[in-house]
Amino acid sequence: MYWLRLSPFLLLLVAAACKKTIHSEAVNPQEVPPTAPSSFQGLIVDDAQQPIPNAMVYCGDLSTTSDSSGHFSLSNVMVDTNAAIISVKKHGYINGFRTLMAHAYGQQYLELTMMPKDLKTSFSGSAVGNIGFTGVNLVFSPNQIQNSNNQVYTGTVSVAVDYITPLDPDQPTRMAGDLRGIDNNGNEVGLISYGQAAVDLLDTNNVALHPDGEHLVNITMAIPGPYRASAPAQIGLFYLDTISGYWKQETLGYKQGNDYTGNIRKGTRWLFATTYSLVTLDANILKQVGAPAGKLLTTISTKIDFYPTYSYTNSDGRYLGRVAANQPLILILTDPCGNLVFQKEIGPYSGYTSADIISGNLDICTP
């Protein structure tokens, strides 16, 4: 199972010293079909990296449960192949949402970490809710919270929050979405996270609640220490659209001391981020010709500024994802025990690119 010993930030610093080239590449103007059947395999674990059995896993019109070892499988699901959505629910855990590009008529692998749902904090739905957590503060307006019938809920609202920074070693499996967003101009962009929060709201019967989408929620997040000096004065404030799977920019956040703060109406997953341009990379990652490097965490970052994207190779060693456009990149493969087993310089890419990347023999652990 997945256990990353080094934070992504440190992994990217290590990778910057590597200067190699890919085995082969070709630019292809054809993007993947927007809607097609695809299949998904995955692993659901908790914050101690232990498997979570009997978690409900949803994708498209299909659902399944994870088995005793935390694994699940969904076959031939009609999805948006540019942004397939996997959502996971389990009593006692904060709901998980993952967005990924999907192989049309193929299969994709992913791993997802669920955090325990600590419901010790609450407020009255009829009053101002000023809720403080480590790294995050939320302020809800009176009568802003609604039930599943979109009726105002004035009872006790229990709140669970997961605050995720780019320094967290499990960010690749714990984050919502996939660090792709839609900016105010309607463009799909890569996101450089300065912190995100996943928020679950529950009534007294543990039934989900939500903000009404009209009143403002004030969000304040601590800027991670290494990013404070260079953090811009203003930054995009995004919410996760669980229908499209993309982070969508609604407004701006502003730097105040060591924090970002902003007001937003939509969603319950929020992210402060800057943006950059993306292209698609469709790669076969092989230990040698005919021997795929399957089910490995694949981090592809910019070589200069270390902006990461995360995905997994499938069982056939195929990687499909968006990466930074027109920049030299570093590809890192991490095995199921969290060991960095391969790194190589690739790119830059100006458009859709297919490539074979030969890693050579890899020393991959068996968890």
Side-chain angles (χ1 to χ4, degrees), residues 172-196:
T173 61
R174 192 170 133 211
M175 67 183 185
D178 72 344
L179 295 182
R180 286 185 294 153
I182 305 298
D183 65 16
N184 281 335
N185 297 316
N187 298 317
E188 181 182 332
V189 291
L191 300 176
I192 305 165
S193 172
Y194 282 77
Q196 66 172 271

Side-chain angles (χ1 to χ4, degrees), residues 77-120:
V77 189
M78 290 298 297
V79 295
D80 178 350
T81 54
N82 287 316
I85 304 168
I86 300 288
S87 62
V88 185
K89 296 182 179 181
K90 171 74 173 182
H91 180 71
Y93 293 88
I94 293 175
N95 295 336
F97 294 92
R98 180 57 41 79
T99 308
L100 64 159
M101 295 189 70
H103 306 283
Y105 307 97
Q107 53 95 5
Q108 179 63 51
Y109 179 78
L110 70 152
E111 296 185 8
L112 191 147
T113 299
M114 302 186 76
M115 300 300 289
K117 186 178 288 184
D118 184 350
L119 297 174
K120 296 178 181 178

